Amino acid sequence: MINILILPGDGIGPEITKQVIKIIKSCIFLGLKCKLIYNYIGGISIEKFNIPISDKLLKICNYVDTIFLGCVGGYKWKNCYLKPEEGLLDIRKKLNFFLNIRPIKCPYKNIDFLILRELIGGIYFSKPKGLSKQIINSIPTWYSYNTEVYNEQEIIRIARIGFNLAKTRKQKLCSIDKSNVLDTSKLWRKVVTYIHKFYNEVKLSHLYIDFATIELIKKYNNFDIIITSNLFGDILSDHCSLLTGSLGTLPSISINNKSLSLFEPAHGSAPDIAGLNIANPIGSLLSIVLMLEFVFNCIKLSNKLYYSIYKVLSYGFCTIDMKNIIKNSKIISTNEFGDLVNHFLLLND
Ligand code: NAD
């Protein structure tokens, strides 16, 4: 029996997670052996326990087999001392989810590449960081600073996973950095180039992040495996939603060194549309496609869910964010989208 921890989070999190639960329950009906456990993270956890992630939740994470997380954050906590996003950074850091894989895939456009983002290092976590006051030009002035630190070991483990994955796919890997300016990127490029010596069958290329943003949109077919730092991976994967049609369509999987996995859509809590039942649940549902494959090893069910999602789109049904992407689109709600996917999943064919 596999235990799945469900953390809906904030904003559109509960709406998209509702669709995920619907689908998992149908998978159980179809024979999947799992148990759902529910808890809180982010703003909702601040409201309930005065902390974005509780110790109890971290303990629960240690005995479950896998986690689905909606998203965290929102206007409500803008001026709050405690930030919902700290819950997200903490679950990643404390459970050592060092790698985040974001598939950029779209069957009807023939797009299929993976962004491997380092997840617990770099500028999001390194110290020193802070906010301070200083006299500048005789004026008391606020200033703030963050630091980016990467060590060789952190880069090696991402590079090795990247090269190993490349061997199972199209044998090419592109490493994205800013080594014309940043010292951390210089080390990143040097280490990746060194590790490549052990993977001669894989073709290695390097791109600077600024040019990569253009190449990824114009020549996406040239890419297969991309490895990059925490900050660049965060921005690049959102940017690549231009290819798939909406930020709401991208799934992700994070892994740690104890084979625990965390599945989440790539988008945030979208407070501007929260509660309206219009959020796109595709990124979340595709995260379950990945979970079925990598945690449950249920390839057949995973494929069936994948095709059920795209079948809904092929009939022209989509949430409002994809209205200009899908031909002859018929706009439906988050709930209706989940119901239609569920319908196709349960159809005998
Ligand atoms: P966002 O991803 O929440 O939203 C950006 C834009 O995309 C918005 O217009 C939103 O409506 C739209 N969008 C996002 N997901 C969508 C979906 N599923 N369907 C339809 N439209 C969707 O990013 P943001 O506005 O920069 O951040 C909002 C909050 O989310 C902030 O508090 C931020 O810190 C947080 N955040 C959380 C995560 C996470 O939980 N993993 C990631 C990024 C941002």
Side-chain angles (χ1 to χ4, degrees):
M1 177 70 74
I2 294 206
N3 291 310
I4 309 177
L5 174 62
I6 304 277
L7 301 171
D10 311 316
I12 60 170
E15 298 160 56
I16 52 171
T17 305
K18 197 172 149 195
Q19 314 316 313
V20 161
I21 295 168
K22 202 183 284 176
I23 293 301
I24 296 178
K25 287 191 171 162
S26 290
C27 290
I28 294 173
F29 175 77
L30 294 171
L32 194 76
K33 299 263 177 292
C34 68
K35 191 173 147 204
L36 300 183
I37 297 157
Y38 300 89
N39 215 293
Y40 306 99
I41 190 167
I44 181 85
S45 175
I46 295 177
E47 279 177 12
K48 286 193 179 287
F49 313 121
N50 239 337
I51 189 156
I53 183 165
S54 65
D55 287 344
K56 191 174 164 204
L57 172 56
L58 286 168
K59 274 190 198 134
I60 293 172
C61 290
N62 281 318
Y63 78 74
V64 296
D65 302 288
T66 188
I67 304 167
F68 173 82
L69 196 160
C71 40
V72 300
Y75 306 139
K76 232 187 204 173
W77 302 279
K78 206 174 160 201
N79 298 317
C80 186
Y81 165 68
L82 294 164
K83 298 283 178 224
E85 290 80 358
E86 280 165 24
L88 190 65
L89 294 181
D90 261 18
I91 198 169
R92 289 173 179 169
K93 187 76 177 178
K94 291 192 174 153
L95 298 174
N96 201 24
F97 285 116
F98 64 89
L99 172 66
N100 181 243
I101 303 176
R102 300 189 165 186
I104 313 292
K105 203 168 167 178
C106 182
Y108 51 86
K109 279 193 185 164
N110 211 14
I111 298 169
D112 183 9
F113 61 90
L114 303 177
I115 298 180
L116 273 57
R117 165 187 173 194
E118 196 290 326
L119 201 60
I120 54 171
I123 199 161
Y124 288 8
F125 291 99
S126 310
K127 290 185 178 147
K129 62 175 189 172
L131 177 68
S132 234
K133 228 175 195 180
Q134 208 182 35
I135 306 293
I136 301 177
N137 300 331
S138 315
I139 305 166
T141 308
W142 284 106
Y143 74 100
S144 72
Y145 49 98
N146 288 89
T147 313
E148 175 158 283
V149 179
Y150 270 117
N151 66 50
E152 274 180 285
Q153 292 179 26
E154 290 169 320
I155 304 166
I156 288 172
R157 66 183 172 185
I158 301 297
R160 287 186 55 192
I161 295 175
F163 283 121
N164 281 321
L165 259 178
K167 274 167 61 178
T168 67
R169 290 174 52 107
K170 294 184 188 153
Q171 319 259 340
K172 52 184 177 183
L173 180 144
C174 178
S175 174
I176 294 177
D177 62 41
K178 186 70 186 167
S179 56
N180 50 342
V181 179
L182 299 174
D183 286 333
T184 41
S185 279
K186 283 182 187 134
L187 180 69
W188 182 282
R189 190 174 282 218
K190 200 171 161 186
V191 171
V192 172
T193 306
Y194 177 73
I195 297 300
H196 179 230
K197 291 189 198 313
F198 302 93
Y199 297 89
N200 274 330
E201 63 274 51
V202 178
K203 189 169 175 283
L204 170 67
S205 58
H206 299 276
L207 277 182
Y208 296 136
I209 175 71
D210 28 6
F211 188 47
T213 56
I214 299 165
E215 289 291 276
L216 274 167
I217 302 300
K218 276 173 56 178
K219 299 182 186 164
Y220 54 80
N221 273 327
N222 287 351
F223 295 91
D224 190 48
I225 302 289
I226 290 168
I227 58 170
T228 194
S229 64
N230 201 344
L231 174 67
F232 295 160
D234 189 1
I235 297 167
L236 265 192
S237 49
D238 276 18
H239 177 67
C240 286
S241 69
L242 285 172
L243 292 171
T244 58
S246 162
L247 190 49
T249 58
L250 299 182
S252 86
I253 162 171
S254 301
I255 54 169
N256 74 2
N257 51 356
K258 289 185 182 158
S259 311
L260 182 65
S261 46
L262 184 150
F263 295 81
E264 53 179 327
H267 59 76
S269 62
D272 52 336
I273 58 166
L276 300 180
N277 195 18
I278 60 169
N280 190 335
I282 294 181
S284 299
L285 297 176
L286 287 175
S287 297
I288 302 305
V289 169
L290 296 173
M291 187 189 279
L292 288 169
E293 181 174 351
F294 295 107
V295 179
F296 290 89
N297 204 15
C298 287
I299 312 294
K300 213 173 148 195
L301 198 52
S302 169
N303 285 343
K304 193 158 188 214
L305 177 56
Y306 183 77
Y307 288 107
S308 300
I309 296 165
Y310 284 99
K311 209 166 203 172
V312 175
L313 293 177
S314 72
Y315 280 106
F317 293 109
C318 62
T319 46
I320 194 158
D321 52 310
M322 293 187 83
K323 80 168 191 284
N324 296 326
I325 310 292
I326 302 297
K327 267 191 199 148
N328 303 320
S329 59
K330 299 177 255 308
I331 309 303
I332 55 174
S333 69
T334 311
N335 230 345
E336 288 167 330
F337 196 95
D339 285 346
L340 279 178
V341 173
N342 205 28
H343 168 77
F344 288 123
L345 182 67
L346 291 172
L347 266 190
N348 275 331
D349 52 8

